[in-house]
Amino acid sequence: LLQPAVSVGNVGQLAIDLVISTLDMTKVGYFYTDCLVPMVGNNPYATAEENSTELSINAEVYSLPSKKLVVLQIRSPFIKNKYRPFCETLLSWVKSSKCARVVLLSSSHAYQRDDEQLLGTPLRYLLTPDLEKAVGGRMKELNWKEMEKVAAYPGISDTDKVLHIPGGGITKLLFTESCSEGIQMAVLLKFCSEGDNIPDAFVLVNYLNEWLQLIKSESNNSTDSSSQWKIPSSWRLLFGNGLPPALF
Amino acid sequence: MATFFGEVVVAPSRAGLDEEEEAREETPEDREIRREIEKKREVDVLWTWQSGGCAEEPLVCSRFIVAIGRNAAAFLSSFILDSVCWEVVGVVKLWNEWCRTSSTTNVLPTDSFCLFYRLVSDPTVLLCQCSCYVAEDQQFQWLEKVFGSMQKKGLQVTILSTCPVADYKTQESTLTLVSPFLKALKTKEFQEQVCCPLLEQPNIVRDLPAA
């Protein structure tokens, strides 16, 4: 199961849009939930007149049987106090549907990085202990960087280190719950800030692709496959309408 | 937070979580306060055609027209409703930071209210005028309680609402658009002809009409 966390810059959600759009995934269901702000619109992945009138709502599930891939897309924010029930429902669905692994795409505030994190790659990963056994080695081969823990009380040197993902939404909750419930979960996240997060989404989805190989990269340099991801039609006009001619 | 001109961003963070709220464990007092607030924000649907004692039978409904927001409610008041052909059959009582409705069915157009009417000549035709704002956390409840009282087989629902033109996303500027204009969204089960163009991507509908 591949899904986003609603997090800073909506990077996880944008990356998921790219996956669904590029792999032309089929919608197989949705979550009927009171935990997310309601919204509805016409098919965000429409490519032609014929497929543009299917309704789309805030939490939908898509699948690609050939890759044994199921994707959950979350489109609206959580209603106050409802993020915990949502996480509980989600994880119980993961268990009851016997999903082998969960990959969570997320992001974290870039301004909260410490001096060391400012250098090098802005991408990080996390694995629950059950998944660490299975794929920990692969992460090392890929030369990926694990998300660092921070001191529980900054400034005091003798304290425990804890996981802190500012701006990550439900990422930390889902990850810690999965650890304690023996679910195989991987978190892939990027440090970023709010703004035009489309480039961040491309970077994150290419990061994911290094591991899962969802699409073939043309060149040997796997970070160069931006052109092979299909931008959904709903990404039009992300930054407003056209300008009134009377302005000039 | 960088955003385009005209977008009203309500949440302090798109992550949707207040960091402090997330870190703090809920004390028993917090839980009690939260429960009290939840009780205060409960949505009550009162059907006037049922007396207190008898079992609640589902309302048989073939067509349900819901007008959400002051403009849509005013449209129904001006062009559809009258005291001869329509009778009041229900009211929604709720409270949130923006408005409070009461259980009275005698309302002024300037009040916030949510009333249900039934067509006298065909009691399976139901109409709802909802001029009050139903908050995010109340929308699902409203939905479940209203539709929960109905027998939904063969039911056709029409939702009327309005949105500011400034929120409409289009290639040209909205200044040059001829407004007001109509757009529609429909489920695939709706087979009849729609009287106006469908809502184009990337526009969306939110809140109670979306719910």
Side-chain angles (χ1 to χ4, degrees):
Chain A
L1 169 68
L2 178 62
Q3 66 159 107
V6 179
S7 57
V8 56
N10 307 103
V11 178
Q13 294 158 282
L14 290 171
I16 293 288
D17 257 359
L18 285 172
V19 172
I20 296 172
S21 172
T22 309
L23 299 178
D24 203 17
M25 296 181 80
T26 322
K27 182 163 21 175
V28 293
Y30 59 91
F31 275 36
Y32 180 60
T33 173
D34 61 339
C35 302
L36 296 165
V37 174
M39 55 107 347
V40 65
N42 275 323
N43 183 7
Y45 311 111
T47 49
E49 189 82 34
E50 297 80 49
N51 60 22
S52 70
T53 58
E54 195 187 328
L55 288 185
S56 201
I57 60 165
N58 54 14
E60 295 184 315
V61 181
Y62 298 78
S63 94
L64 188 65
S66 58
K67 289 204 192 286
K68 293 198 190 156
L69 181 66
V70 170
V71 173
L72 164 67
Q73 176 62 303
I74 301 174
R75 300 197 169 94
S76 59
F78 288 102
I79 290 176
K80 200 167 160 65
N81 292 324
K82 289 288 194 181
Y83 65 92
R84 255 179 222 280
F86 183 82
C87 290
E88 282 162 17
T89 313
L90 179 67
L91 290 181
S92 85
W93 176 61
V94 163
K95 286 192 284 196
S96 67
S97 58
K98 301 220 181 355
C99 170
R101 281 178 193 171
V102 182
V103 179
L104 182 68
L105 299 184
S106 180
S107 52
S108 186
H109 285 308
Y111 68 80
Q112 294 250 14
R113 289 177 292 177
D114 62 27
D115 292 344
E116 279 183 39
Q117 289 171 320
L118 282 172
L119 307 166
T121 173
L123 295 159
R124 295 287 186 276
Y125 77 93
L126 279 169
L127 298 173
T128 56
D130 294 83
L131 190 53
E132 172 78 47
K133 295 182 201 124
V135 304
R138 179 83 187 114
M139 290 355 187
K140 298 228 163 15
E141 277 172 37
L142 289 169
N143 218 4
W144 278 12
K145 221 166 167 180
E146 195 175 356
M147 181 71 170
E148 304 88 336
K149 290 200 165 128
V150 295
Y153 303 101
I156 304 174
S157 53
D158 209 14
T159 64
D160 289 329
K161 295 247 182 207
V162 291
L163 189 60
H164 188 46
I165 310 177
I170 54 172
T171 305
K172 184 174 153 190
L173 180 62
L174 276 180
F175 182 71
T176 47
E177 288 295 308
S178 299
C179 286
S180 55
E181 297 197 35
I183 293 177
Q184 292 195 9
M185 176 181 282
V187 173
L188 269 56
L189 67 83
K190 181 178 191 297
F191 289 116
C192 68
S193 305
E194 298 281 359
D196 179 356
N197 300 107
I198 293 176
D200 298 311
F202 275 102
V203 169
L204 188 60
V205 82
N206 284 326
Y207 188 52
L208 173 72
N209 202 45
E210 278 176 41
W211 173 32
L212 293 187
Q213 296 288 298
L214 294 172
I215 63 166
K216 295 246 174 313
S217 355
E218 256 172 21
S219 54
N220 285 331
N221 182 4
S222 59
T223 55
D224 210 17
S225 49
S226 305
S227 52
Q228 287 149 274
W229 297 103
K230 192 163 103 187
I231 292 184
S233 54
S234 55
W235 281 21
R236 283 176 61 233
L237 305 173
L238 268 179
F239 294 99
N241 297 340
L243 298 168
L247 196 63
F248 302 106
Chain B
M1 174 159 35
T3 177
F4 64 85
F5 175 74
E7 181 191 339
V8 177
V9 180
V10 174
S13 154
R14 284 202 179 108
L17 281 189
D18 180 354
E19 295 293 332
E20 273 142 52
E21 177 195 311
E22 177 207 324
R24 245 183 40 214
E25 284 298 322
E26 217 180 28
T27 65
E29 286 93 9
D30 289 336
R31 238 190 309 272
E32 189 57 39
I33 293 172
R34 188 165 57 80
R35 260 198 288 264
E36 286 298 310
I37 294 178
E38 272 171 17
K39 232 168 61 182
K40 201 172 172 193
R41 296 176 74 91
E42 240 180 60
V43 176
D44 282 316
V45 182
L46 307 157
W47 299 105
T48 56
W49 52 277
Q50 280 171 347
S51 56
C54 62
E56 284 180 22
E57 278 169 29
L59 186 58
V60 176
C61 184
S62 63
R63 278 182 189 272
F64 184 31
I65 300 160
V66 190
I68 301 173
R70 288 199 184 276
N71 292 326
F75 167 77
L76 287 189
S77 293
S78 315
F79 294 99
I80 311 285
L81 285 172
D82 63 52
S83 51
V84 174
C85 303
W86 296 88
E87 54 172 356
V88 178
V89 290
V91 64
V92 170
K93 195 164 147 228
L94 61 83
W95 172 88
N96 56 53
E97 295 81 356
W98 292 270
C99 68
R100 174 200 296 276
T101 68
S102 64
S103 45
T104 175
T105 56
N106 206 4
V107 293
L108 294 171
T110 46
D111 291 339
S112 282
F113 56 87
C114 182
L115 293 172
F116 296 90
Y117 301 84
R118 184 164 64 179
L119 188 60
V120 172
S121 55
D122 181 356
T124 66
V125 176
L126 217 66
L127 204 142
C128 172
Q129 256 188 331
C130 187
S131 74
C132 64
Y133 176 66
V134 180
E136 270 173 14
D137 57 310
Q138 296 171 315
Q139 287 158 11
F140 194 82
Q141 245 196 85
W142 188 101
L143 193 70
E144 292 275 281
K145 289 193 176 173
V146 169
F147 282 86
S149 321
M150 285 182 202
Q151 166 235 284
K152 290 185 272 290
K153 205 157 167 207
L155 171 64
Q156 189 188 83
V157 182
T158 307
I159 302 161
L160 305 171
S161 84
T162 54
C163 293
V165 174
D167 283 350
Y168 181 64
K169 296 200 182 49
T170 174
Q171 197 63 44
E172 322 113 47
S173 151
T174 47
L175 272 182
T176 52
L177 273 181
V178 176
S179 69
F181 55 88
L182 283 177
K183 293 286 176 190
L185 282 175
K186 63 173 196 68
T187 61
K188 53 180 184 285
E189 286 79 9
F190 184 82
Q191 300 292 340
E192 289 169 34
Q193 187 82 316
V194 182
C195 58
C196 61
L198 293 181
L199 185 66
E200 308 86 353
Q201 294 81 343
N203 292 287
I204 58 166
V205 173
R206 62 184 79 184
D207 292 330
L208 192 60

